[in-house]
C-alpha cells in the first residue's frame, strides 16, 4: 500500500475526531481509573517538576506570545479531538512502560497504545482471526509456546491479539470495519502451545487530521509506526505482559513515532513449510509468576 493511496482512503473513512473520541471514551470506561494509588506527595513532586521543566524550556528558547498562544490553541484541540490518549501513548507511554517493566523477568513488553478493546471473541487454538473475504495482505501463521522461568510449560495461557488491516485501520476505530476484525482472545492448548492465523499488517500512520497530526506537520516530523501486532499474554498466577511484535526490515523500525520498538520484539516470518499460503512466524513466551522479580 503506497502512502498516497492510504491517505486517499483515510479521507473517506477514518477521521481523527472519531478515533480520538472513541479512544477517550474507552479509556474512561476501562477500569484503569479505579483504585489508583496517587499520593499528594508524589503529585506535588511530579507535577511541580514537570511544570518547572516546561518553564525551563520556555526560558531556554525565549518562547514568544505567538508561540504561547499556538500552544494554548493546540492543547485545547487535543482535547476536542479526543487525542489525549493518542498523544500520551505516542510520546510518553514508552518511558512509563520501560520504568515499570525493569523488575519483571521473561517476555519483553512495550506500550499498549490507544486502540485496545477488551472482551474480543475467545477462540481455541488453532485460531483464525476474523477477516473479510478477499482480505488484503500476506497470510501469517503465528505460533508459539508458553513456559515459566524454570522452563516448564504453562497451562491455560491466553494470547490476546489486535492489529490494523492493510490500510492501517483498527476495527472499532474506523467506520465500516467488522466489529472484531483482527481482534481475538486465543486460548493456548494444554501444553502451552498456540497457533493464530491472520494477515501480516502494513506500516501504520497515526491519524494525520487531528491535533497530533497538526503538531507533526507543524514540526516537519513524520507520522509512521512500523507494521506491528499488539499482544497481551497472561495465564492464571502469572504476570500479564503487554507487547507488540514487529518485522525485520520495516523502514520505520528505526524511527517509530511512538519509540516502542525493541530488538527482542522482532518476528521473523518465513515462507510456510506446511504447503499453506503466505508466511509463518514463531514467538515463544516466558512468563513470570505473580510477585516474581528478576
Ligand atoms: C497505534 O496503532 C499505536 O500502536 C500507537 C502506539 C499509537 C497510535 C496508534
Ligand atoms: Fe497499533
Amino acid at each position: 500500500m503506497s502512502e498516497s493511496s492510504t491517505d486517499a482512503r483515510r479521507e473517506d473513512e477514518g477521521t481523527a475526531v472519531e478515533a480520538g473520541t472513541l479512544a477517550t471514551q474507552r479509556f474512561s470506561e476501562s477500569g484503569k481509573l479505579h483504585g489508583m494509588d496517587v499520593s499528594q506527595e508524589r503529585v506535588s513532586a511530579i507535577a511541580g517538576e514537570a511544570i518547572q521543566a516546561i518553564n525551563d524550556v520556555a526560558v531556554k528558547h525565549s518562547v514568544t506570545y505567538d508561540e504561547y498562544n499556538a500552544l494554548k490553541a493546540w492543547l485545547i484541540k487535543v482535547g476536542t479531538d479526543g487525542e489525549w490518549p493518542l498523544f500520551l501513548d505516542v510520546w510518553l507511554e514508552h518511558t512509563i512502560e520501560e520504568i515499570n517493566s525493569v523488575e519483571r523477568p521473561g517476555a519483553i513488553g512495550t506500550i499498549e497504545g490507544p486502540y485496545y478493546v477488551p472482551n474480543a471473541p475467545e477462540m481455541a487454538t488453532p485460531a483464525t482471526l476474523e477477516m473479510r473475504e478477499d482480505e488484503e495482505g500476506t497470510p501469517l501463521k503465528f505460533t508459539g509456546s508458553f513456559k515459566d522461568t524454570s522452563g516448564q510449560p504453562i497451562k491455560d495461557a491466553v494470547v490476546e491479539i489486535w492489529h490494523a488491516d492493510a490500510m492501517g485501520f483498527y476495527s472499532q476505530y474506523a467506520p465500516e470495519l467488522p466489529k472484531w476484525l483482527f481482534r481475538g482472545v486465543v486460548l493456548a492448548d494444554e501444553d502451552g502451545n498456540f497457533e493464530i492465523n491472520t494477515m501480516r499488517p502494513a506500516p501504520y500512520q497515526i491519524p494525520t487530521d487531528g491535533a497530533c497530526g497538526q503538531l507533526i506537520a507543524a514540526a516537519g516530523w513524520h507520522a509512521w509506526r512500523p507494521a506491528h501486532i499488539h499482544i497481551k499474554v497472561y495465564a492464571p498466577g502469572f504476570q500479564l505482559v503487554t507487547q507488540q511484535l514487529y518485522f525485520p526490515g520495516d523502514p520505520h523500525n528505526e524511527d517509530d513515532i511512538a519509540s516502542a520498538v525493541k530488538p527482542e520484539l522482532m518476528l521473523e516470518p518465513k515462507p510456510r513449510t506446511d504447503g499453506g499460503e503466505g508466511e509463518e512466524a514463531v514467538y515463544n513466551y516466558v512468563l513470570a509468576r505473580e510477585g516474581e522479580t528478576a
Side-chain angles (χ1 to χ4, degrees):
M1 187 52 43
S2 74
E3 301 195 2
S4 59
S5 62
T6 305
D7 286 345
R9 214 190 105 177
R10 274 173 185 288
E11 267 167 37
D12 41 274
E13 294 205 17
T15 77
V17 176
E18 281 158 4
T21 302
L22 288 162
T24 297
Q25 198 180 322
R26 205 154 263 134
F27 171 72
S28 311
E29 296 163 356
S30 68
K32 288 177 179 167
L33 300 173
H34 296 303
M36 287 189 300
D37 181 10
V38 182
S39 71
Q40 186 190 61
E41 197 183 10
R42 282 179 58 82
V43 172
S44 178
I46 297 163
E49 286 178 42
I51 290 167
Q52 188 58 51
I54 294 168
N55 279 270
D56 292 346
V57 170
V59 170
K60 180 176 172 198
H61 295 280
S62 301
V63 168
T64 65
Y65 257 99
D66 278 356
E67 289 160 346
Y68 173 69
N69 287 324
L71 170 65
K72 201 184 273 187
W74 182 77
L75 288 170
I76 292 166
K77 184 171 165 61
V78 175
T80 54
D81 289 352
E83 286 199 340
W84 280 113
L86 181 65
F87 173 76
L88 289 166
D89 293 352
V90 165
W91 282 298
L92 180 59
E93 190 187 356
H94 65 98
T95 298
I96 308 300
E97 190 280 328
E98 197 69 46
I99 297 163
N100 287 281
S101 67
V102 283
E103 291 189 350
R104 189 189 59 230
I108 299 296
T110 190
I111 67 175
E112 176 174 318
Y115 299 145
Y116 171 68
V117 179
N119 308 315
E122 275 190 22
M123 299 171 231
T125 210
T128 299
L129 300 188
E130 179 172 345
M131 45 189 117
R132 295 158 289 191
E133 266 175 54
D134 305 320
E135 189 71 51
E136 253 184 75
T138 305
L140 177 69
K141 177 176 145 186
F142 169 45
T143 61
S145 64
F146 283 93
K147 296 207 160 84
D148 67 17
T149 53
S150 60
Q152 293 305 305
I154 297 176
K155 270 200 201 336
D156 299 324
V158 174
V159 182
E160 229 178 306
I161 180 168
W162 72 104
H163 65 78
D165 71 3
M167 300 289 175
F169 290 105
Y170 282 87
S171 56
Q172 301 188 43
Y173 293 94
E176 288 170 33
L177 298 186
K179 185 169 183 194
W180 298 109
L181 179 78
F182 296 133
R183 294 180 185 273
V185 175
V186 178
L187 314 174
D189 68 18
E190 289 199 337
D191 306 316
N193 297 312
F194 65 89
E195 176 184 320
I196 302 171
N197 292 282
T198 186
M199 289 285 171
R200 185 172 165 156
Y204 172 86
Q205 199 178 185
I206 73 163
T208 51
D209 59 333
C212 291
Q214 188 184 45
L215 170 62
I216 288 164
W221 301 337
H222 73 78
W224 290 91
R225 298 210 62 219
H228 58 281
I229 296 176
H230 292 270
I231 305 269
K232 284 179 187 281
V233 283
Y234 46 88
F238 290 85
Q239 296 179 54
L240 179 149
V241 177
T242 300
Q243 63 157 211
Q244 300 176 34
L245 295 172
Y246 304 95
F247 301 89
D250 190 301
H252 297 293
N253 283 338
E254 270 71 56
D255 65 359
D256 176 12
I257 188 177
S259 310
V261 179
K262 303 180 187 183
E264 299 88 348
L265 298 175
M266 291 294 154
L267 275 179
E268 300 211 352
K270 300 195 168 67
R272 277 174 76 150
T273 54
D274 60 3
E277 199 195 329
E279 300 173 322
E280 59 189 27
V282 182
Y283 200 87
N284 295 317
Y285 291 97
V286 172
L287 297 188
R289 283 177 202 281
E290 276 162 15
E292 186 177 349
T293 53

